[in-house]
Amino acid sequence: MNSNEASIAKPEKKATDAEVAAAMRSLENAVRELMHMADIAAEAHDKIFAPRSRLEKTSSSVTYQIALHEDDQISFLVNDVAARCAKLHKAFDAAWDGEVLA
């Protein structure tokens, strides 16, 4: 093994408990924002889909009458929550290694 191969094979530095704790604490705002958006999405879902006057049931399906802006709103909210979850998941994995993602 030459000197270049030896330098490549160095073990990675393991994050200290303090670094991991600090990185995890940096996730607080993202967690709270996700919780807030999930609450907004749940409230919008209930407001849009709860009224029985909008519901048509058959033996095999359910159809809802919703306005186009409500369809846009619920689509935005669900996709925003999903995107925040994915971003938080990446940030959590990084924090586990003591890193803070921007």
Side-chain angles (χ1 to χ4, degrees):
M1 177 169 16
N2 65 36
S3 62
N4 286 341
E5 290 175 21
S7 65
I8 293 172
K10 286 183 185 176
E12 291 185 35
K13 176 190 170 267
K14 183 174 174 160
T16 65
D17 288 346
E19 290 169 330
V20 172
M24 289 290 180
R25 280 192 294 275
S26 76
L27 301 177
E28 181 179 4
N29 284 341
V31 169
R32 292 186 185 280
E33 289 170 359
L34 174 58
M35 290 170 50
H36 184 65
M37 286 304 292
D39 285 344
I40 292 170
E43 287 176 20
H45 178 274
D46 291 347
K47 182 179 177 186
I48 292 169
F49 294 103
R52 294 292 175 215
S53 60
R54 296 177 166 212
L55 180 64
E56 182 181 313
K57 276 188 177 181
T58 68
S59 62
S60 62
S61 68
V62 176
T63 304
Y64 291 92
Q65 281 289 103
I66 62 173
L68 290 176
H69 77 275
E70 291 170 322
D71 183 51
D72 290 343
Q73 179 186 26
I74 202 73
S75 291
F76 167 79
L77 290 168
V78 167
N79 285 297
D80 184 78
V81 168
R84 287 173 189 270
C85 284
K87 186 175 178 183
L88 182 58
H89 181 246
K90 287 179 185 176
F92 178 84
D93 285 347
W96 192 258
D97 294 326
E99 301 170 16
V100 176
L101 296 182

